[in-house]
């Protein structure tokens, strides 16, 4: 028995995701990319990330061909850029790079210069599912901006995270109730 697709999508809309652009293509005219909320860290040894990409996306085949890609996490001023790379603005392929400020990463992949965090990766592994591939990227270079406010997607809208309380320290009595070991 499987869950109803509509119920699954409604439940997933309640889970916030960091908004990122996956970009690929060392040569102008052959670059492409897409907007995702399916990118996250995998390991720090070696530094690596995973991203899930629909096999129908133009970037999918290009990632395989290039053997490299970048994951660019967006900040609050990048909502229009996220929509552009999602295809909702009618802009495709290399034309999407007319928006934003780009540089070339160590692998040749396009890297957004003012991203919250950007990871230039070589394709280390790929796992296929029915509709998507899970790409494992081994990080060759990384950059970040601690001052930028991350962009997240939740309940079909863009948001920015907000702190709900002051930072917790290990010596804080309330923190003892939040330690991960308490959950196991």
């Amino acid at each position: 028995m499987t869950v109803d697709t509509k119920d699954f999508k409604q439940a997933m809309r309640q889970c916030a995701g960091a908004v990122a652009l996956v970009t690929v293509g060392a040569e102008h005219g052959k670059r492409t990319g897409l907007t995702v909320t399916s990118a996250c860290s995998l390991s720090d040894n070696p530094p690596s990330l995973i991203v899930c990409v629909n096999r129908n996306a133009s970037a999918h085949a290009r990632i395989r061909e290039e053997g490299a890609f970048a994951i660019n996490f967006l900040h609050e001023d990048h909502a229009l850029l996220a929509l552009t790379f999602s295809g909702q603005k009618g802009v495709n392929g290399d034309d999407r790079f007319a928006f934003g400020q780009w540089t070339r990463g160590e692998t040749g992949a396009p890297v957004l210069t003012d991203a919250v965090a950007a990871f230039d990766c070589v394709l280390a592994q790929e796992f296929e599912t029915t509709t998507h591939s899970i790409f494992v990227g081994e990080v060759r270079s990384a950059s970040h901006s601690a001052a930028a406010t991350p962009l997240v997607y939740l309940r079909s809208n863009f948001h920015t995270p907000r702190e709900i309380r002051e930072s917790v320290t290990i010596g804080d009595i309330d923190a003892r109730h939040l330690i991960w070991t308490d959950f196991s």
Side-chain angles (χ1 to χ4, degrees):
M1 182 176 169
T2 61
V3 67
D4 178 70
T5 302
K6 182 180 172 187
D7 292 338
F8 174 75
K9 287 180 179 181
Q10 284 294 78
M12 286 305 300
R13 287 186 179 115
Q14 308 314 305
C15 303
V19 182
L21 303 180
V22 177
T23 54
V24 60
E27 295 179 42
H28 286 273
K30 293 188 175 185
R31 299 175 300 178
T32 192
L34 71 153
T35 304
V36 302
T37 57
S38 62
C40 64
S41 67
L42 174 63
S43 176
D44 65 352
N45 186 22
S48 51
L49 298 114
I50 60 172
V51 63
C52 303
V53 177
N54 190 301
R55 293 203 316 244
N56 292 327
S58 62
H60 187 275
R62 298 288 297 129
I63 290 170
R64 283 180 169 168
E65 291 169 19
E66 295 273 335
F69 58 94
I71 300 176
N72 306 274
F73 287 92
L74 304 183
H75 63 65
E76 63 184 333
D77 294 333
H78 286 144
L80 185 58
L81 192 58
L83 291 174
T84 300
F85 273 76
S86 74
Q88 294 185 43
K89 294 294 180 185
V91 181
N92 295 306
D94 200 73
D95 292 339
R96 293 176 176 174
F97 294 91
F99 304 90
Q101 296 177 16
W102 299 94
T103 189
R104 197 177 202 162
E106 186 178 311
T107 67
V111 174
L112 187 62
T113 59
D114 63 341
V116 168
F119 301 90
D120 188 22
C121 304
V122 294
L123 180 60
Q125 286 184 285
E126 176 186 349
F127 303 93
E128 287 191 22
T129 69
T130 305
T131 58
H132 288 67
S133 289
I134 302 165
F135 293 118
V136 176
E138 196 170 294
V139 179
R140 291 296 183 249
S141 66
S143 60
H144 71 280
S145 173
T149 302
L151 185 66
V152 297
Y153 196 72
L154 172 68
R155 298 182 179 141
S156 302
N157 286 300
F158 293 116
H159 300 272
T160 57
R162 64 178 173 84
E163 294 190 26
I164 57 174
R165 59 181 261 172
E166 291 183 26
S167 296
V168 177
T169 62
I170 298 299
D172 184 344
I173 191 129
D174 293 330
R176 295 181 193 156
H177 299 288
L178 299 175
I179 296 173
W180 282 107
T181 55
D182 291 343
F183 292 105
S184 57

